[in-house]
Amino acid sequence: MQLLLKNSHKLFILLIFLGCASQGPASGGPKDLEGPVILNVLPKNGSTELKKLDKIEIFFDELIDPLSVPSAIKILPSCEYKIKTRGNKIIILPKESILSEKNTYRISISKTIRDFRGNSMNSPLNIVYSSSDQIPQKIISGRFINMTDKAYHTA
C-alpha cells in the first residue's frame, strides 16, 4: 500500500500526458479536398404510402461538421423539427409525426453541409416523401414575350 501511494504521483503524471491527445480528424496522408457525399437516406427518397414519418436519417461518407447542418435543411410544407448530427449521420426528428393524409413533403438539403476540413458538398439534394400512392409530377412552363437578342430556355 505504501509503495502504491509512493508511486501514485508518477501514475497521475502519466495519466495527464495520455489525456492530452488531440481530438479531431487525423492528420497526415493525402489532402482532403472533397466534400461529404450522401451514401444513403432512410426512408428511401421517393417513398410513397408512408403513414408515419418519425425520423429521417441521412448517411455520409465522412464525418460532418455539426455547425454546418441546421441552416442547410428545410422542410416544406413547414413543420417543427429537431436535428441531431452523429459522426457521419444526420437525423431529422419532426416534433410530430409528419405526413398528413394525401400530403407530400420535400426536404431540401443545401450543399453548405461541410466536413471538418471545411469542404462543402458538391451538390444539393431534395428528398421527397408522400402519404399517398404517388408523388405528384408538377411542371412549370411558360414563355417570354418582348425579349430580344437573347435565347432563354425553360426546363
Side-chain angles (χ1 to χ4, degrees):
M1 181 71 173
Q2 197 173 29
L3 181 62
L4 182 61
L5 289 175
K6 196 173 193 180
N7 291 322
S8 64
H9 69 282
K10 291 177 186 175
L11 180 63
F12 180 71
I13 291 172
L14 179 64
L15 289 174
I16 287 175
F17 282 117
L18 292 176
C20 292
S22 174
Q23 302 294 316
S27 60
K31 241 185 175 178
D32 180 9
L33 301 173
E34 297 292 319
V37 175
I38 296 174
L39 298 176
N40 195 16
V41 177
L42 294 176
K44 184 181 167 198
N45 186 12
S47 294
T48 58
E49 298 186 37
L50 294 173
K51 301 302 177 209
K52 188 176 176 184
L53 189 56
D54 293 325
K55 74 177 176 179
I56 299 127
E57 296 177 297
I58 305 163
F59 298 88
F60 291 84
D61 67 337
E62 62 182 314
L63 298 176
I64 301 300
D65 179 1
L67 298 176
S68 69
V69 175
S71 63
I73 296 176
K74 304 282 184 256
I75 299 178
L76 292 173
S78 185
C79 68
E80 289 187 45
Y81 57 92
K82 186 177 179 180
I83 297 173
K84 292 183 179 181
T85 305
R86 302 280 188 258
N88 66 336
K89 177 170 67 169
I90 295 173
I91 305 167
I92 303 170
L93 300 160
K95 297 271 181 175
E96 297 176 12
S97 179
I98 60 175
L99 290 175
S100 60
E101 192 172 319
K102 299 202 179 189
N103 206 353
T104 301
Y105 283 85
R106 186 181 83 188
I107 295 113
S108 297
I109 302 171
S110 76
K111 63 181 192 173
T112 58
I113 292 178
R114 299 181 307 268
D115 62 16
F116 280 102
R117 300 270 185 217
N119 302 313
S120 295
M121 291 174 44
N122 287 335
S123 60
L125 176 69
N126 284 313
I127 304 168
V128 181
Y129 298 114
S130 179
S131 57
S132 68
D133 61 348
Q134 64 182 358
I135 294 175
Q137 302 296 319
K138 297 182 180 179
I139 297 172
I140 298 174
S141 64
R143 62 185 181 145
F144 292 101
I145 56 173
N146 296 330
M147 300 299 291
T148 58
D149 297 355
K150 293 185 180 180
Y152 294 92
H153 300 278
T154 59

